[in-house]
Every structure is written in C-alpha cells, then in structure tokens.
Amino acid sequence: MALEQLTDVVQRCQVIKDESFPPEDYDLFLTAGRTCIEQGDGAQVLSILVDEKNKKIVRCMGWNLLGPLIQILLKKEDKNLPHCHAILSHLLEVSSPKELLIGLLEQVEDADSSSIADTVTILLKPLQTVLLRMGVKKSSSVGMALSTLLSQVIRLPVPVTKEQEEDDVFGLCRCCTALLEFVKPFVLEIKDNNRLSKGNELRVELLKFCMKSLSEPLLEVLLKDPNTLQKSPLREFASEILVILSNIGESLPDLLSRNILKRKEVPGFLEEEVRYPKESLACMSHLLFVHHIGMDIFPAVLSPVFILQCNMEYVELLLSRTEESRLQKGLELYEKTLVRVEDNSLPVDLLELKIFFSVPQNLVKVMTLCPDQTLRTKGLKVFQLSIDKFSTEAKYKFFRGMLKTSHHAGVEGYLIKNIKNQIDFSLKPCNGNDWFLGKHLLPLLRLVLCLPQGPETDLLQNLDRIMESLNLLRYMLIRDKEWENETGIWTELYKIEDNYLKPLRTDLNMSKAHYEAELKSTIDNKKLSSKDSKTPTCTVTVGNEKLPNMSPEMQIQVLQSALFTFDLIESVLARIEEIIEAKDRPLP
Amino acid sequence: MVKHMKGTSNKREILGTLVCTSDEMSSLEDILSSNQCPSAAITSKGTDVTPNRDSGVCKIVKQHGVEGEKPMIGDKVCVHYTGRLLNGKKFDSSLDRKEPFVFNLGKGQVIKAWDIGVCSMQKGEVCLLLCKPEYAYGSSGSPPKVPPNATLVFEIELLSFRGEELTEDGGIVRRIKVKGEGYNNPNDGATVHVHLQGWCGGCLFESRDVTFVVGESVEAGIQLGVDRAMEKMQKGECCLLYLKPKYGYGKDGKPEYNIGSNAELLYEVTLKDFKKSKESWEMDLEEKLERADLVKQKGTQYFKAGRYSHAVIQYQQIVTWLEMECGSGTEQLQAIQSLLLVAHLNLGLCCLRLREYSQTVENCNKVMELDPDNEKALYRRGEARLLRNEFSMALEDFRQVLQVNPCNRAARSQIAVCQRKIREHNERDKIIYANMFQRFAEHDAKVVKLKRKKEDSGHSDQNKQSLKRPCLSEDGP
C-alpha cells in the first residue's frame, strides 16, 4: 500500500520538468517512504531511488528519508539493515548536501540522552561525506556540524575510574575517537594547503572546535597516566587536539603566553577572549605540564620562570573555582610548574606582579575551606613548595604580605613556623643574610608578635598563631645569645614585652578566670538540673543548621579543654618570662 | 611566525637553514662522537659569551652572519634550532616542527644561555652553543625532555629579528639598549622622570631631562609615542623608539625644529624613575568619582586644544574606572552614569575627529544604552555613519535627532545631505547597471552567435556569472 503510494508519487513527479514539485508530494513522499522503510521494504525503496529517471526527485526530496533511516540504523538488529545502509549512501551521493547536512544535524540534535553516543558515531561518517561534497564553501557548515556534535557529546557522563574509561558504557570515549576521525580531512586541508592565515574561515572553525573541546569535555576529565591505563582514548583525544592546534598554525607556546604578552585593553578584546577562552588555555597548559601531553611539539627552550609566569594565570583561574576537579587541576599545574624552578631562585621582583599574591590567597582558601581532605593537604604541600622557590628576600616580602592579608590563624601559624625555619637557617654559619637577621627582621617580627585585638583577642581562635609565635620567640631567645644578638631580638625585647607579652598575660588571666567561672556555673547548674529535670542547655549552630543540643557533660568537656589550652599557652609564656628574668638578673 | 613563513626572503632563509644544518649536523655529530669529551671540545674551540666569564655558555660560530646586524633586548627574534644532550640525543628541534621559533630576546622568556647566546649572534649566523646546567634547566631539568643537571648543546641559526611593536598599528617600535629592573611599569597617571633625545632624519632636535605625568605628557611637550611607550618600560630602562608621524609631530611637523610634515622620529628614552598612580582596583568608588571629575576636565582641555588622541586617554580612564561600578544608592549610581555618559559622548566626538568612525559608533551606542534619546549621541553617530557611506542608517539617526528636538537645524541640513548622497549613489548605480546591462546585452548577442556556431551553451552561462559578480559586490547594501 505504502509502496504503491511511493511509486505513484514518484511517477507523478517524474514528468515534472524543473524541480518545482508540489509541497503535498513532499509530504506524501516522506510518509510513504517512511512506512516502506519501517515495514522492511528497503530493497524496493532502494530500487526506486537508484533509478536514473528519479535522480532529480531524490536530489530534492531524498533527505526527507534520513529520519526513518537513522532510526532503523540505530536499532541495528533489523534484517533490513543492509538495504538501509545502501539507501543512505545513495542519498549521500545524490541529494543536495545542504539539505542533507540540516537533516543529519537534526538527527544529532534530536538524539535523546541514551542514544547520543550511537547517533553520533553512526552519523559522523555521513556528515563528513556531505561536508566534503560541499567543496570550498563548507567552512560555516563544518563549524555548525562541529558545534552541534560537541554540544551533544558533552552531555555524556565523563568516566572517572580506569575501569569506567575502559568499559565506556556511555560512549564518551567512542565519540571522542570518532570526532578525531571526523575532523581529520578538514585539518589536512588547512595544513597541506598552508591556509594558515588568521582569517581563514575553516581554520577559525577548527580553532573553535579545539578550544571548546579543551574546556569541555577535557577540563572535566581526570586523565589516567600511561602506567595505569596504557591505551586511553581520552588521552589520545587530548593529545590529538593539541596536534590539531599546532597543525592549523596555532603555536602552543604562543597560546600559553598569550595572556601575559598580549594584555591589551583595546576595543575588540572581547572577541579575543571568545576565540581563546582562558579556561581552554588552562586545560591546555595542564595537559602540557602535568601530563606532558603535546610536549613533543612544545619547544624545550623556555625558561622555567617564564612558564611559571604564564601558568600563574591559569592556576589562578582554576583555584578560584569551587569544583573539586578544577581545584585539583589547579594544584597539580601549580605544583608541576614550581617543581621546574630551582629552590630559592624566584626573584623578589616577581612579587610586584599582583598574581603572585592572588594565587596564594586562593590557595589559602583551598587549604582552609575545601571540603576534601586530600585537596586541603595537597594545597598545603603546594603552598610550602611555592615558599621554598622564592629567594630569601622574596620569602621575606611574601611573609609580610601574607601575614597582613591571610586572616586565618592556622595559615598565620604556618607562616610563622616558616619564618622560624628561615631564622634558624640564617643563624647557621655562612647562611647569614640581611632579611632574616637584624634590622629587616624586626618589622617582620612586629607583625608576628602581636595580638590582633589586644588583650581582648580570642585566644582559642588564634591558638595556632599564638603558639607558633611564642615558640618562635622562645627559640630565638635560646638560640641567639644576648651577647651575639644576630637577630636583634634582644634590643627589641622591651618593646615585645610591652606590646605582646604583657597584653597576652592579661588576656590569658582574663580568659582563664572567665572559663573557670563558666565551668563552675555549668557544674552547679548540672547539680541543680539533675534535681529538677528541665536542663538549660546551650545551642550551637553551624552554617545555619542547628546542631543537637549540647548536654551539660559535653559543655563541661569543652570548657575543660579550653582551660587546658590556656595552660599550654601559659607554660610557654612562663618559660619565656623566665629567660627574660634570667637576663635581667645580674650574673652570679 | 606565519608571516615569516610567507615572506619569500624568509623562505629562502629557511631553505638555507635546512641545507646548512644538514652540513653542520655532521660537524656537531663529529664533536659529539669524537673521543674527546664534547663539552671540552666546544669549550676549547669556542668563546665564552657569559658576562662574568664562567664558561657557562660557550659559542662556536659555524657560519658568519651579516656584520653589525645584531638583535637588541626586547627584539622579536626568529630562529631555527636543534638541541641535544651531551650523549648526542636530540631532545628538541624547531626543524622537526617545520616552524621557526620566535621569542622576545633578553626578557627571560627562554633559558639564560639563550638570552645571552642569541644576543651575541648576527643575522644569518649559525652557531653551536654549549650550555652548562646553571644556564639551562639546572638541577630540576625540564621534564620530560631534559634530565636534571644536563649540559645542553644547541645549534642555532638566527633567521631574523625586528624591534618590538608596542601598538597594533606598528606606529611605535621599541628596541632596548639597557634593560630595566623588575616587573613594574608606569601606568596612566604615573609621574615619570625621563631623559630623552630626539632625532629626525639623523638630526638631533631635542635632548633634555623631563618629568611628566603619563597621559598628560603633552603639557610637557612630549610626543604621543613616547608617552604611550611608558607603560611598557621599567625603571632604569634605556630604549630607542621609532615613531611613525601619527605618534610624533604628525602632518603639521614642527618648523622650529626643522621637522617637516609627516616625519618619522627616533627617540632615545631613559626612564630614570617613576611613581605609579593608583590602579583602578586600589581606589574606592569615592576616590574614583573625585578623580574622574578632574580627568574629565583635563580631557576637555585637550579636546579644545585639538589634541584628540590625548583627550581619548583621559576619557578612556573614566570608562576603565567606572564601567564595572554600580555604586550604592541612587545618588552614586547617577553620578557614575552621568560621568560615563559624558566620557562616551566625548570619546565619540574625539574618535570622529580622529576618523575612527567605527569607534564613534560604538561609543555613541554606549551612550544610548544609558540614555536612548541622547541628541548629541544620535547626531554624532549619524555623522560617523555618513562618513562611512552608510547613508540610509545616517539618515535614520538624523531623523531621530529631529524627533527628540525638532528645532535642530543642523540635523535638518544633514538629512538633506544624506538624501542628496543617496540620490547621487542611486544615479551612479543606475549608470553602472545601465552599462552592465548594455554589456550583458552585447555579450549575450555575442554568445548567441557563438552558440550558433559551436552549440556550446554551458560556457556562456559561466561567463555571464563571472561578469555579474564584481559589479554587484562594488556597491554593497
């Protein structure tokens, strides 16, 4: 029945001279054709389509059959399959490429999430054939096809484990491999004909494709190294994207440094941003320096400091995000870039660049706020690594800057520990320097040996900082003898006593008295409440969420541990006071 | 890089490289395969080019270049190179990538050995460079290619070099004689102390110490080119600046100095010291608003004196400071918006005078985002469009001006101008098309004749099309 209809329409149209077929015939052709294909009459449809007499009809209407054909191809098990393949390849040869392209892309766009991978892999080859048929005017069509394909592919879940990548259940790996095959002829066209001028449209489309692939999916992907996974399609994809960039005339070192060498505020810079998104470049840099992908086409003559300068931009971008995959990549990139630099070599001038303070600020955020323990630990490790790479003077300037801006007792404590290590190093023979001894050291010590809010400072909150600074002071008083006074601490001591030790003593006494009183009243309350059962308890809220009420026992525990902490502070403080007293006493 | 590949002269050089490197390679391999320790072999034959003579970088010239043509600091240099480890293993080569390597010399972009070594080369020179690890990748190496503590041997050919272009249009070219210190540059509004000498056609016309404010230097008689170069200089830097007329005395010249119209200038500038002005992110909104007012007055002053490029710098500052601000409360918001509006409006006018019409249109559009019926913005956009031969769009703009203010006589006369232009344009079109059709007719007649002879129709179709195309493209919409 449908077959008869199809034959009818075709016969009717055969006699029409020019290609002005009535619209209702288009509809009829589609419905009849669809039914035939679905009913398994592929062979008959094929014979109609290949008939030389019907060439014009196929050229105009043939693309309408793409939808039903693709559905059959997707089902795979149909016995009709070979015929459908034959019909498709005939259509690709005969129908108008523009309409075929639109028809095929429609199929790609319409794919639901479960069939994306299959649709994409099936349609890539036909799409390529159609685009190649378009000749020189295909650039914008290639661009349209690539962006449609990519936007579907990135909907696929990214494999996380090695096994997931191997199994490739959702098909991201398959699609990536197929995409590479798809773009190959277009890249070759640019490369072989040396069409590398910045404005070449096809080149621009391929550039867009590479940049988009770098930001998505590649920035999401955590690549496995070759020891874990020998053959990784995603690694292959990443590496090919970098090769394509280089083949279309984008030099990788230029891309790497474009943010620091081309900071222009001229009109049209937005367009540049769009063409070379920072995220994509960050991903490229991560591939180069963390995975060493693309290193074989990357020059090995750039200086490590220059690479660091370039990468700081990307590290900052990655660390300013909150997604853990970005943070991890930022940390890895920073680490690997720092490792290339010699210890104690980064000059103080670098700190004139704002980014050498903004990256550590971001790092502090990761170290203190990131919910993931391993990332926090890694953050601290990288933070220390970055300190190690600075020259002595740069370390000094860095500590000063960070003490003023970090606003986190734990970080400040950590910085103070670093200062102590530097002083210790400087006091060893032949290590003397101007920065961690003598007159430069004192302004730094003033930042360390102080209470942020005077005698009212919350000792518990500032514990890390206070303990480290007391340790530092004790260390210096013991290590640097008064008659040597290399650090200058003994001349500064009376000021430190007035500005730091005395207020701290006051603070300590007040805090202790307060907590002891609290403890006493809590214990008393507890005795009372055990008599009548209405327990007055304190409430604790964290992030707007009320925690379960603290029982009196817990309260007592907390208060007691606070008192222990004060004892701890006091013991170090007392030791320092002892040393100072010993100095004031005339020698026996 | 691409440009270099394209230039015919450079192509020859690249080919030359290939020939000579294949020659040289044998000698490099000779050295590497000889029984003698390769580094000792190079050190004994070569010269130590390090400033402190520690033999960290040794050079053997394999092929001499052009005498006297040496690159300077900051120059964009273009080289081909092959790098090997002492065991002869090639770890990197630009020849394999078939693409010369380009970098800015003496800026720390490449390993120390290169900044030192390439600086000593002449154009066209080919040399071997032996680099101790302290001048290369040191104890860290460069994973994955260079192991720790590796001495490297490079063979380098200096293909070409040129001064660094500080502006898009190449109107300011810099070559550095003495490198400055640090990474800090003066910004707009910074106070700088410089020594400068200016030449025109080999004649020294000025030589003086001067202090000025970047962006307001015209008050101290400083050329725009010198002013614009400041933000790329560092303290202590001494450089040569090659200025195109646009960045010098322009078409007026400077008769007192014997500088004619459209003269190119050469300056030697030493930045002795400077004090930065606050960057946008260092100021709070109050301060920005206060300073924006002063800057606006400066801009107006320059505009009145006909110094449009200088006025642009001032107005642009307002935009940079306030563009992203939204203030707190309506009062601040209004202050911000009125300053931005004036800045864009005046930028539009300056650009109109500077014949940067597309920027005029852009700035007027910005004004209209804030105030859709701004009479001046509409008028200026109309003017810019008229000058860009977009007659009907210009006409539309002037008509809108009249809608806003029916008494605007100037707009009325501009409308007349637009209409006349459109008419003239149509006339011209008519003539072109008339001719075209006549030509077609003649051509068709000829074709018919031919067709009768040869019965070849497809050929004529093609011809007709190729005739039609250029005529159509001549007058776009």
Side-chain angles (χ1 to χ4, degrees):
Chain A
M1 157 87 174
L3 198 59
E4 279 160 26
Q5 273 182 337
L6 187 65
T7 328
D8 267 2
V9 172
V10 169
Q11 274 171 355
R12 196 162 353 118
C13 290
Q14 272 173 354
V15 293
I16 298 176
K17 273 257 148 22
D18 47 1
E19 294 170 356
S20 57
F21 307 115
E24 57 270 22
D25 282 354
Y26 276 85
D27 293 338
L28 208 56
F29 181 83
L30 169 63
T31 41
R34 176 198 297 276
T35 324
C36 290
I37 290 171
E38 279 165 2
Q39 285 171 351
D41 295 331
Q44 288 81 342
V45 177
L46 180 63
S47 68
I48 294 174
L49 294 184
V50 293
D51 191 342
E52 189 59 26
K53 279 181 291 188
N54 300 333
K55 204 171 176 182
K56 260 193 301 187
I57 303 168
V58 177
R59 183 162 63 214
C60 294
M61 304 187 193
W63 64 276
N64 276 307
L65 299 177
L66 283 174
L69 277 174
I70 306 299
Q71 289 314 314
I72 301 287
L73 293 182
L74 276 175
K75 277 185 205 141
K76 281 179 190 158
E77 76 276 2
D78 205 296
K79 60 177 181 341
N80 219 357
L81 215 51
H83 294 302
C84 289
H85 272 296
I87 297 174
L88 181 61
S89 47
H90 182 69
L91 287 181
L92 292 178
E93 242 169 70
V94 178
S95 282
S96 130
K98 255 191 192 157
E99 267 128 15
L100 280 172
L101 176 75
I102 292 166
L104 288 169
L105 290 182
E106 249 172 32
Q107 295 303 315
V108 176
E109 270 177 355
D110 292 347
D112 59 66
S113 46
S114 59
S115 66
I116 290 177
D118 283 339
T119 316
V120 167
T121 39
I122 287 179
L123 292 185
L124 277 175
K125 194 71 200 161
L127 266 172
Q128 192 187 50
T129 315
V130 169
L131 287 168
L132 287 174
R133 267 182 65 199
M134 286 184 165
V136 282
K137 284 195 213 156
K138 63 178 165 303
S139 309
S140 59
S141 307
V142 172
M144 190 161 73
L146 283 172
S147 90
T148 312
L149 287 164
L150 258 187
S151 54
Q152 286 294 357
V153 169
I154 57 176
R155 288 172 57 200
L156 296 169
V158 173
V160 181
T161 63
K162 165 183 177 251
E163 289 72 25
Q164 282 173 347
E165 184 169 346
E166 279 170 338
D167 299 347
D168 193 26
V169 175
F170 297 103
L172 180 66
C173 300
R174 258 186 298 148
C175 286
C176 286
T177 313
L179 272 174
L180 290 179
E181 205 51 46
F182 176 74
V183 293
K184 209 173 254 170
F186 309 118
V187 176
L188 278 180
E189 186 179 325
I190 295 291
K191 190 185 163 200
D192 293 348
N193 301 319
N194 229 350
R195 296 214 179 99
L196 301 176
S197 74
K198 288 282 166 223
N200 180 298
E201 283 175 38
L202 185 58
R203 197 194 81 85
V204 171
E205 295 300 342
L206 290 169
L207 173 61
K208 277 191 211 156
F209 165 72
C210 290
M211 286 295 148
K212 201 171 169 206
S213 308
L214 283 169
S215 67
E216 259 183 317
L218 284 174
L219 197 54
E220 298 296 329
V221 174
L222 297 176
L223 289 177
K224 311 288 166 299
D225 69 277
N227 300 331
T228 328
L229 185 58
Q230 208 193 357
K231 212 175 131 38
S232 152
L234 292 176
R235 198 170 57 230
E236 185 61 25
F237 182 65
S239 129
E240 266 317 296
I241 290 291
L242 297 191
V243 171
I244 293 174
L245 276 174
S246 147
N247 281 341
I248 60 171
E250 292 288 337
S251 120
L252 298 186
D254 283 1
L255 287 178
L256 181 79
S257 62
R258 71 174 301 114
N259 278 305
I260 61 163
L261 293 186
K262 305 208 168 149
R263 66 196 128 137
K264 282 175 285 157
E265 288 170 37
V266 290
F269 77 101
L270 274 177
E271 192 186 326
E272 283 279 294
E273 287 268 286
V274 173
R275 196 171 277 189
Y276 300 98
K278 232 176 166 183
E279 275 216 330
S280 310
L281 297 179
C283 180
M284 178 193 82
S285 183
H286 184 267
L287 292 173
L288 278 168
F289 293 101
V290 176
H291 292 291
H292 297 156
I293 289 172
M295 266 300 174
D296 47 334
I297 49 169
F298 193 81
V301 292
L302 296 178
S303 86
V305 178
F306 181 63
I307 293 175
L308 174 67
Q309 258 178 281
C310 298
N311 280 344
M312 284 307 259
E313 300 279 335
Y314 307 126
V315 172
E316 168 160 60
L317 178 84
L318 293 170
L319 291 188
S320 64
R321 305 292 290 267
T322 48
E323 299 98 316
E324 280 168 19
S325 65
R326 305 287 152 101
L327 294 179
Q328 181 174 344
K329 290 199 169 184
L331 292 174
E332 285 170 352
L333 180 59
Y334 199 21
E335 182 184 28
K336 293 289 182 207
T337 312
L338 285 168
V339 163
R340 301 176 157 257
V341 178
E342 300 265 313
D343 278 355
N344 299 312
S345 72
L346 292 180
V348 68
D349 302 340
L350 278 179
L351 292 175
E352 286 167 13
L353 301 171
K354 212 174 69 171
I355 197 139
F356 278 85
F357 277 106
S358 54
V359 165
Q361 301 286 9
N362 281 323
L363 206 49
V364 164
K365 261 185 233 154
V366 176
M367 277 153 44
T368 54
L369 299 174
C370 179
D372 185 295
Q373 163 73 25
T374 46
L375 287 182
R376 286 203 307 270
T377 319
K378 174 117 184 176
L380 187 61
K381 189 180 155 213
V382 177
F383 187 64
Q384 184 61 54
L385 189 64
S386 73
I387 293 176
D388 295 342
K389 299 298 171 184
F390 284 124
S391 70
T392 309
E393 188 184 351
K395 283 192 180 95
Y396 175 86
K397 193 173 172 190
F398 181 74
F399 294 149
R400 283 194 71 161
M402 287 302 288
L403 279 175
K404 281 184 187 161
T405 53
S406 66
H407 306 301
H408 185 282
V411 176
E412 286 164 352
Y414 195 77
L415 289 166
I416 295 169
K417 197 152 97 189
N418 262 286
I419 293 174
K420 186 180 143 210
N421 293 341
Q422 286 307 312
I423 296 174
D424 183 47
F425 173 80
S426 308
L427 283 170
K428 288 191 178 126
C430 309
N431 288 344
N433 59 64
D434 281 350
W435 300 99
F436 290 96
L437 296 176
K439 71 174 192 318
H440 283 120
L441 177 62
L442 295 178
L444 185 62
L445 284 182
R446 273 171 221 144
L447 288 176
V448 172
L449 302 175
C450 68
L451 285 174
Q453 285 92 35
E456 277 91 50
T457 306
D458 184 340
L459 292 179
L460 293 178
Q461 200 161 27
N462 286 288
L463 178 69
D464 290 347
R465 189 202 150 100
I466 291 169
M467 282 310 288
E468 285 300 342
S469 60
L470 287 175
N471 276 332
L472 169 66
L473 185 56
R474 184 182 58 173
Y475 162 81
M476 286 172 75
L477 292 175
I478 294 172
R479 174 70 177 79
D480 191 18
K481 297 288 177 271
E482 195 187 347
W483 56 88
E484 281 170 320
N485 194 20
E486 282 184 78
T487 57
I489 187 76
W490 291 95
T491 5
E492 184 83 355
L493 198 54
Y494 71 99
K495 272 197 217 161
I496 296 174
E497 280 191 270
D498 285 349
N499 297 333
Y500 186 52
L501 298 179
K502 282 178 190 163
L504 180 61
R505 174 56 81 184
T506 319
D507 194 346
L508 204 53
N509 292 340
M510 288 193 317
S511 306
K512 267 174 84 172
H514 175 75
Y515 274 81
E516 272 162 4
E518 273 295 297
L519 184 62
K520 190 167 171 293
S521 76
T522 314
I523 293 172
D524 291 348
N525 275 341
K526 197 188 155 202
K527 280 178 194 155
L528 280 174
S529 62
S530 53
K531 282 172 196 157
D532 70 83
S533 61
K534 279 178 215 145
T535 322
T537 47
C538 80
T539 59
V540 180
T541 50
V542 174
N544 288 334
E545 254 183 76
K546 215 167 174 186
L547 291 186
N549 284 347
M550 272 171 100
S551 68
E553 286 78 13
M554 282 162 83
Q555 285 180 50
I556 292 170
Q557 219 176 340
V558 168
L559 291 169
Q560 265 165 351
S561 89
L563 283 168
F564 289 141
T565 309
F566 297 141
D567 285 344
L568 192 68
I569 298 179
E570 191 169 25
S571 69
V572 187
L573 183 58
R575 175 77 184 110
I576 291 171
E577 285 165 344
E578 242 173 66
I579 300 172
I580 297 174
E581 245 171 68
K583 171 211 160 209
D584 290 337
R585 232 177 323 171
L587 285 168
Chain B
M1 223 171 282
V2 178
K3 262 183 217 154
H4 283 290
M5 296 289 281
K6 279 199 168 164
T8 46
S9 62
N10 282 316
K11 206 171 245 170
R12 217 175 299 134
E13 278 170 8
I14 290 163
L15 291 177
T17 320
L18 290 172
V19 173
C20 78
T21 38
S22 60
D23 259 10
E24 299 298 333
M25 212 62 91
S26 61
S27 69
L28 174 59
E29 263 140 27
D30 284 349
I31 289 174
L32 292 169
S33 61
S34 71
N35 291 329
Q36 209 183 351
C37 163
S39 65
I42 296 180
T43 318
S44 67
K45 279 193 239 165
T47 41
D48 178 4
V49 288
T50 56
N52 43 357
R53 306 277 158 229
D54 56 9
S55 301
V57 188
C58 274
K59 180 171 115 164
I60 300 180
V61 178
K62 306 300 297 181
Q63 180 189 306
H64 286 280
V66 185
E67 198 56 50
E69 282 199 43
K70 280 190 177 182
M72 287 167 70
I73 300 166
D75 282 2
K76 235 181 167 52
V77 295
C78 178
V79 298
H80 258 312
Y81 69 93
T82 302
R84 287 168 195 270
L85 304 176
L86 278 188
N87 60 16
K89 185 174 177 260
K90 180 166 80 179
F91 64 85
D92 185 23
S93 172
S94 62
L95 294 162
D96 294 346
R97 295 194 293 271
K98 298 188 183 68
E99 181 184 77
F101 178 64
V102 181
F103 68 102
N104 289 97
L105 184 62
K107 295 259 178 168
Q109 290 181 9
V110 285
I111 51 173
K112 288 196 196 100
W114 270 53
D115 267 342
I116 296 170
V118 176
C119 215
S120 74
M121 292 176 76
Q122 295 167 331
K123 187 174 171 181
E125 178 179 318
V126 181
C127 72
L128 285 183
L129 222 51
L130 178 84
C131 321
K132 293 273 171 62
E134 309 86 83
Y135 286 86
Y137 287 107
S139 60
S140 313
S142 178
K145 289 181 181 170
V146 180
N149 297 313
T151 298
L152 309 178
V153 187
F154 283 100
E155 177 163 284
I156 307 177
E157 175 176 10
L158 179 57
L159 300 172
S160 65
F161 55 84
R162 60 194 149 94
E164 186 185 1
E165 292 178 357
L166 298 187
T167 49
E168 261 323 59
D169 58 5
I172 309 175
V173 171
R174 168 175 71 173
R175 305 193 67 195
I176 300 172
K177 287 176 104 175
V178 181
K179 195 172 178 276
E181 45 191 69
Y183 295 87
N184 248 329
N185 315 98
N187 52 353
D188 278 336
T191 308
V192 294
H193 305 282
V194 300
H195 177 75
L196 51 83
Q197 287 177 297
W199 288 269
C200 179
C203 275
L204 182 71
F205 65 87
E206 83 173 310
S207 171
R208 58 175 169 150
D209 282 315
V210 59
T211 298
F212 62 87
V213 174
V214 178
E216 298 166 15
S217 60
V218 60
E219 290 165 30
I222 303 293
Q223 302 312 302
L224 182 64
V226 175
D227 186 87
R228 290 298 86 196
M230 283 303 145
E231 58 181 19
K232 301 281 167 86
M233 289 181 74
Q234 276 122 20
K235 186 181 167 181
E237 179 175 323
C238 171
C239 66
L240 296 173
L241 296 174
Y242 298 81
L243 307 185
K244 288 265 182 302
K246 185 180 159 194
Y247 292 95
Y249 286 106
K251 65 175 191 305
D252 297 339
K254 185 86 173 173
E256 302 130 78
Y257 291 157
N258 254 332
I259 294 172
S261 176
N262 289 325
E264 298 193 356
L265 305 180
L266 168 63
Y267 270 95
E268 184 180 304
V269 182
T270 312
L271 178 57
K272 294 194 293 191
D273 200 1
F274 69 92
K275 194 168 173 298
K276 262 184 135 157
S277 85
K278 279 192 185 171
E279 297 276 5
S280 181
W281 48 268
E282 290 174 299
M283 288 188 277
D284 59 17
L285 184 56
E286 286 294 324
E287 194 173 352
K288 282 185 192 174
L289 287 172
E290 221 167 89
R291 303 251 314 247
D293 246 341
L294 296 176
V295 163
K296 189 179 85 184
Q297 285 166 20
K298 259 268 131 79
T300 314
Q301 189 188 323
Y302 292 151
F303 181 83
K304 281 183 183 151
R307 305 200 173 274
Y308 306 120
S309 307
H310 296 88
V312 166
I313 298 171
Q314 300 299 324
Y315 293 131
Q316 197 64 51
Q317 269 190 308
I318 301 182
V319 176
T320 331
W321 288 339
L322 297 178
E323 204 171 22
M324 298 300 172
E325 293 282 356
C326 47
S328 56
T330 43
E331 205 172 299
Q332 271 190 335
L333 187 67
Q334 269 171 2
I336 294 170
Q337 288 190 339
S338 79
L339 275 165
L340 276 178
L341 191 132
V342 172
H344 282 302
L345 202 54
N346 292 350
L347 276 170
L349 189 55
C350 289
C351 293
L352 197 62
R353 296 284 181 271
L354 289 167
R355 299 182 190 175
E356 310 259 8
Y357 303 127
S358 57
Q359 297 211 37
T360 303
V361 172
E362 224 165 89
N363 275 298
C364 291
N365 287 341
K366 286 267 167 60
V367 174
M368 280 177 263
E369 277 171 29
L370 296 163
D371 172 15
D373 291 328
N374 189 295
E375 192 181 339
K376 281 183 185 166
L378 282 166
Y379 188 86
R380 281 169 200 173
R381 191 171 74 178
E383 273 187 295
R385 284 179 167 164
L386 184 56
L387 288 162
R388 281 212 301 194
N389 291 343
E390 298 168 342
F391 307 125
S392 46
M393 280 161 90
L395 185 66
E396 196 51 44
D397 279 341
F398 292 124
R399 281 192 176 139
Q400 251 182 295
V401 173
L402 281 188
Q403 268 179 13
V404 178
N405 175 13
C407 326
N408 191 326
R409 284 232 205 105
R412 215 172 280 278
S413 62
Q414 290 283 26
I415 287 178
V417 174
C418 285
Q419 282 164 336
R420 199 184 69 231
K421 291 263 184 185
I422 293 172
R423 237 181 357 257
E424 280 172 10
H425 188 79
N426 286 343
E427 294 289 318
R428 220 176 30 242
D429 275 2
K430 249 186 227 165
I431 294 168
I432 292 168
Y433 284 118
N435 278 343
M436 188 177 72
F437 288 130
Q438 204 178 342
R439 281 208 305 274
F440 279 156
E442 281 166 13
H443 183 262
D444 284 352
K446 229 187 265 171
V447 169
V448 171
K449 267 187 212 163
L450 272 173
K451 206 172 167 186
R452 274 182 198 149
K453 276 183 193 165
K454 288 192 173 178
E455 298 284 331
D456 179 12
S457 66
H459 187 243
S460 78
D461 263 3
Q462 266 174 9
N463 264 358
K464 211 193 278 177
Q465 262 176 1
S466 66
L467 241 184
K468 220 156 131 191
R469 215 171 286 138
C471 297
L472 282 173
S473 63
E474 232 167 280
D475 44 51

